[in-house]
Amino acid sequence: AQTVTQSQPEMSVQEAETVTLSCTYDTSESDYYLFWYKQPPSRQMILVIRQEAYKQQNATENRFSVNFQKAAKSFSLKISDSQLGDAAMYFCALSGAGSYQLTFGKGTKLSVIP
Amino acid sequence: DSGVTQTPKHLITATGQRVTLRCSPRSGDLSVYWYQQSLDQGLQFLIQYYNGEERAKGNILERFSAQQFPDLHSELNLSSLELGDSALYFCASSVGTSGEDWETQYFGPGTRLLVL
């Protein structure tokens, strides 16, 4: 069974500052994928970034980057130059190579303070 | 806009009724997934279809069923509805075969179901 844990139910960050959201996971698969999804108040699920477990290089997408520590089973999301539009619920998710269903963490609610 | 469409956006019905939620995947995507998001259970995987065939089942109740049609759209049928079935139901799609980014799931806007 796969599990994803987000230990920070809520976080806040000042506009233009940097914030890091934590995620740990557990899986018995050797090949898997990790994702961060953003869910704003509209409730739409928006893909933020993806990481392939076999790639050691950390993924980046503009102001979003991850710190993927495979041995520690850790996958944190760093948001640089935070903007008001970044305020949302952020979900960490895992899919294994055997079955591609996503297992989600419980989410971290991020507030951005002007 | 992810390219995944879901109808209806909102649905209000009574206990004991049956409803059908519809999903159209992104152009070219062969895999469709259904997820349920509720306050107490979080986001849970229900079922996956790939090119018309059931590929994987998650925590889907026997009262729920789904199918994927030849044009690749999918429907989720919920019957004998209970108050606890009130939730946001998402459809997601992925390429589902080889190639870059083939496993990444893109979500539709969801259908908000309220059972009274």
Side-chain angles (χ1 to χ4, degrees):
Chain A
Q2 300 175 152
T3 60
V4 176
T5 302
Q6 294 179 249
S7 58
Q8 306 152 316
E10 294 188 27
M11 290 193 74
S12 61
V13 62
Q14 293 278 351
E15 197 175 1
E17 296 296 309
T18 296
V19 64
T20 298
L21 309 184
S22 301
C23 172
T24 58
Y25 63 92
D26 194 20
T27 178
S28 58
E29 308 252 13
S30 56
D31 188 17
Y32 52 90
Y33 303 86
L34 292 157
F35 305 87
W36 280 96
Y37 284 89
K38 168 186 177 181
Q39 188 176 42
S42 67
R43 307 298 296 276
Q44 172 79 50
M45 292 290 287
I46 303 165
L47 176 69
V48 175
I49 199 164
R50 64 186 278 273
Q51 173 79 42
E52 298 160 20
Y54 64 87
K55 287 187 176 179
Q56 292 191 348
Q57 186 175 5
N58 289 325
T60 61
E61 285 288 344
N62 301 314
R63 298 182 296 107
F64 299 87
S65 62
V66 298
N67 183 4
F68 174 47
Q69 300 289 327
K70 191 171 184 178
K73 295 185 177 178
S74 170
F75 182 61
S76 60
L77 174 70
K78 185 171 83 171
I79 307 174
S80 304
D81 185 25
S82 296
Q83 301 175 359
L84 295 178
D86 295 333
M89 194 73 132
Y90 286 82
F91 291 95
C92 179
L94 164 71
S95 74
S99 61
Y100 298 101
Q101 64 201 63
L102 288 168
T103 299
F104 287 90
K106 292 191 180 299
T108 296
K109 183 177 181 181
L110 178 67
S111 300
V112 180
I113 303 166
Chain B
D1 185 358
S2 67
V4 180
T5 61
Q6 289 186 248
T7 56
K9 289 185 179 179
H10 302 278
L11 202 46
I12 302 174
T13 189
T15 54
Q17 295 298 306
R18 172 190 170 94
V19 297
T20 298
L21 313 184
R22 182 187 168 102
C23 167
S24 292
R26 295 185 316 159
S27 177
D29 284 0
L30 299 179
S31 268
V32 169
Y33 306 77
W34 287 96
Y35 294 88
Q36 179 194 59
Q37 185 178 31
S38 61
L39 282 174
D40 53 344
Q41 298 289 335
L43 271 157
Q44 292 213 322
F45 167 72
L46 296 177
I47 198 164
Q48 177 201 0
Y49 280 83
Y50 173 79
N51 203 19
E53 294 192 2
E54 183 183 303
R55 175 65 64 89
K57 256 185 177 179
N59 298 319
I60 188 166
L61 300 171
E62 286 192 12
R63 301 183 284 108
F64 296 0
S65 65
Q67 58 184 125
Q68 186 179 28
F69 294 86
D71 67 352
L72 301 177
H73 91 271
S74 178
E75 292 181 357
L76 179 66
N77 300 297
L78 315 177
S79 61
S80 302
L81 285 167
E82 301 175 359
L83 296 178
D85 297 327
S86 296
L88 184 55
Y89 291 84
F90 284 109
C91 167
S93 73
S94 69
V95 174
T97 59
S98 57
E100 183 69 21
D101 195 31
W102 64 274
E103 81 300 329
T104 299
Q105 295 179 35
Y106 295 89
F107 282 72
T111 293
R112 198 167 299 196
L113 173 66
L114 179 60
V115 182
L116 300 174

